[in-house]
Structures are given as C-alpha cells and as structure tokens.
Amino acid sequence: REQRAVAVERLDGVTRERFLRDIYPRRKPVVLTGLELGTCTTKWTIDYLSQAEGSKEVKIHVSAVPQMDFLSKNFVYRTLPFDAFVRRAAEVKHKEYFLTEDEKYYLRSVGDDVRKDIADIRKQFPILAEDVCIPEYFEKEQFFSSVFRISSAGLQLWTHYDVMDNFLIQVTGRKRVVLYSPRDAPYLYLSGTKSEVLDVDNPDMEKYPLFVKAKRYQCVLEAGDVLFIPALWFHNVISEEFGVALNVFWKHLPAESYDKTDTYGNKDPMAASRAIQILDRALKTLEELPEEYRDFYARRMVLRIQEKAYRNDYG
C-alpha cells in the first residue's frame, strides 16, 4: 500500500495578524506565498553569490549518493572557499571532486564556534543578509537562529523533527518537502530526532512495515515560497534543483524550557529529556522481574502514559 499524500495548504499574502490569529494556533504546516522577502529572490544568482561573500572557508557535507543519512553518516565533512563551493554545488558533474565526479554538496551554516554560537546569517554572511527581509511573524526575543542553506540538485536530507517552530524560506530553486505529524512518530522508526526510513518514496516494507500508516503531507516550494513547519513535525527535503534557502527558528515555549547548550535547535526540551531519563531508569528497574511480570507491568505503564499524557483531540 502506498502512502497517499495530502497537499499542504498554500495561502497568498498572509499578514502577521492573520498568521497569528488563524494559522499558527492550528499547528499544521502551511505554504505562505507572496511575502516580501527582499531582493534575494532575484539577486542571488550563482555569480552574485560567489562574488558577494568571496573565498571565506565554509564547512560542507559531501556525499557520493543523493540520499544523505545522518544515522549511518554516509557523507564526509570537507572545507572549501565559499565561491568555489557555490560553483561546485551548481554543477552536475565535477572536474574537481572529493569522492566522485557526481557527488552532492550541502551547506548548513553554523556559528563561528559550533559549540557556543548559533547560526545567524547576519553574522556569518553579512553581505547576503542585507538582501533578505525575514518575515517577522514572531517577537524579536523569540528569535533563535537563521540558518543559511545551499544544496546540490537531487540532494535528499534525512527525515527529522526540530523542537522549535520554523520558516523554511526558499530563496532560489525548487524543493519538495514531505512532512509527517508528531502523532505519527510510532510509525517512523525513530532513532533520536531522526527517522531510519531514508527513502520515503520507496520504503523497505519488510524492514519498516508500520511506515505505511504514517499520513504523508507534501508540498513543492518554488523560489519565494515560505513553508511554516511547526515544532515536532517531521520533514524530509529533496532539492529538485540547485537552490538556496534560509531557515528561521524561533522559541515557541518559554526560553527556560530549552537546553542552553543547544546551538542547533534540535535538543529536546529540558523537561522532555528528564522524563525520558526517568523512563529509562524505570525500564531498567523492571528488568529485576521475570519476563511475564515485566510484560504485565510494562503494559500497565503504557496505559498510564496514554491516560495521563496523550491528547484525545487530535483532528
């Protein structure tokens, strides 16, 4: 059985007021079109990008295959001057390469000190930042990061969730995004924040039989489109063309809910991390019992969790 895709709603010219009143509270993805994004959508050609930020060094992912897998780490990190990287990422076949002549490239900008600094286009790419008008549909103090991204054509990123709300602003090129609701987590074969199912179009049904139960949402982002991805929604992204994008993350929960050492915005909220540690200890304690007792009390624990913590108003 194939997953039928539900098209993500597209809305044109949504004001901040309408977004906060009608769209944001629904906690569902939506594609916003016709927003004022600045001159970046017309200005950011390969030539302009190369020349604007020059030969500063950037750390990039390089993969011999189009489907990047963060769990098996089927890519290598390499460093290139920014102008050389942009030109290589825009090519299909490379005269100069690290792994293969048709290798794929991916830049996800990071802070100057990855352990301490968040990604912020204004700091890492100040010249390009001047061309961008970020839709400010949240308060300034909620801002967390603005992540500059460049992808080779055909590159597919692993399915994962983030713990903060974000706008994926597609500046140039076209992307296909497949999304899954947080409630479908049981069918996504998770390892931490990531799904083990790499090929969402042709999944291995013997290995991942439950995956077919996950409800698939899908959209294609053209240059100038902005996708709102609510926190905890899983997303899988394919760059159908060479493209440049900007992710803007903001804090949806009170600031103290987040892990202060989190520079990527993907560590679970503090309370969730503590709860998982407590659960792991409880499961370890159950190992003191014989199998039949362990099974019985584990089922009782699951029922308790469902009764106390599950929502029953999911539409």
Side-chain angles (χ1 to χ4, degrees), residues 166-170 175 177 221 225-227 229 245-247:
N166 89 81
F167 279 148
L168 171 51
I169 302 167
Q170 190 62 25
K175 272 196 179 93
V177 187
L221 299 181
D225 288 349
V226 177
L227 172 62
I229 307 176
L246 184 66
N247 269 104

Side-chain angles (χ1 to χ4, degrees), residues 41 131 137 212 231 250 262:
T41 48
D131 303 333
Y137 286 21
V212 78
W250 68 92
D262 184 12

Side-chain angles (χ1 to χ4, degrees), residues 39-151:
T39 56
C40 55
T41 48
T42 51
K43 221 170 163 182
W44 285 7
T45 60
I46 294 158
D47 285 341
Y48 175 77
L49 288 167
S50 309
Q51 161 264 311
E53 293 284 352
S55 59
K56 76 154 119 205
E57 300 227 303
V58 287
K59 193 178 181 186
I60 52 171
H61 300 63
V62 184
S63 173
V65 294
Q67 271 172 349
M68 276 196 185
D69 178 1
F70 199 83
L71 296 171
S72 73
K73 298 282 196 295
N74 67 345
F75 52 84
V76 294
Y77 292 106
R78 291 291 181 265
T79 303
L80 274 177
F82 183 72
D83 49 2
F85 157 68
V86 169
R87 295 196 179 282
R88 278 211 214 173
E91 301 167 342
V92 178
K93 285 263 188 286
H94 315 293
K95 288 192 182 69
E96 294 179 62
Y97 51 85
F98 297 108
L99 305 171
T100 63
E101 62 174 9
D102 54 0
E103 64 195 14
K104 304 290 182 192
Y105 298 94
Y106 171 54
L107 167 70
R108 184 239 189 255
S109 66
V110 291
D112 298 326
D113 180 338
V114 180
R115 289 181 302 280
K116 293 188 195 143
D117 303 328
I118 54 145
D120 186 343
I121 190 172
R122 293 167 298 189
K123 290 178 184 159
Q124 286 99 41
F125 298 91
I127 296 163
L128 294 177
E130 288 175 14
D131 303 333
V132 185
C133 178
I134 292 171
E136 294 197 350
Y137 286 21
F138 48 90
E139 299 300 327
K140 277 197 169 39
E141 59 272 15
Q142 287 179 279
F143 171 84
F144 176 73
S145 66
S146 50
V147 182
F148 183 61
R149 300 180 193 268
I150 296 182
S151 310

Side-chain angles (χ1 to χ4, degrees), residues 174-212:
R174 183 192 297 123
K175 272 196 179 93
R176 187 199 74 176
V177 187
V178 174
L179 304 109
Y180 299 96
S181 160
R183 74 174 308 189
D184 282 343
Y187 315 131
L188 297 179
Y189 297 87
L190 297 186
S191 176
T193 61
K194 299 156 191 77
S195 168
E196 290 176 18
V197 187
L198 278 191
D199 192 341
V200 294
D201 299 312
N202 299 290
D204 181 337
M205 294 316 292
E206 282 185 17
K207 204 171 175 187
Y208 308 116
L210 296 177
F211 183 66
V212 78

Side-chain angles (χ1 to χ4, degrees), residues 175-294:
K175 272 196 179 93
R176 187 199 74 176
V177 187
V178 174
L179 304 109
Y180 299 96
S181 160
R183 74 174 308 189
D184 282 343
Y187 315 131
L188 297 179
Y189 297 87
L190 297 186
S191 176
T193 61
K194 299 156 191 77
S195 168
E196 290 176 18
V197 187
L198 278 191
D199 192 341
V200 294
D201 299 312
N202 299 290
D204 181 337
M205 294 316 292
E206 282 185 17
K207 204 171 175 187
Y208 308 116
L210 296 177
F211 183 66
V212 78
K213 293 186 172 188
K215 185 175 178 181
R216 173 182 176 128
Y217 293 77
Q218 189 169 304
C219 62
V220 172
L221 299 181
E222 305 284 353
D225 288 349
V226 177
L227 172 62
F228 167 55
I229 307 176
L232 310 183
W233 273 76
F234 296 87
H235 44 288
N236 177 289
V237 181
I238 292 186
S239 295
E240 296 190 341
E241 302 170 341
F242 164 79
V244 185
L246 184 66
N247 269 104
V248 183
F249 291 89
W250 68 92
K251 294 174 181 177
H252 162 57
L253 306 175
E256 62 275 12
S257 307
Y258 300 99
D259 187 329
K260 288 189 173 41
T261 66
D262 184 12
T263 55
Y264 283 92
N266 58 7
K267 286 189 181 175
D268 290 315
M270 302 287 277
S273 295
R274 287 200 307 274
I276 288 166
Q277 285 168 359
I278 293 164
L279 177 62
D280 286 342
R281 285 204 298 274
L283 293 170
K284 190 98 185 104
T285 309
L286 279 188
E287 287 173 17
E288 296 169 19
L289 293 167
E291 188 181 26
E292 128 188 47
Y293 282 78
R294 200 163 62 230

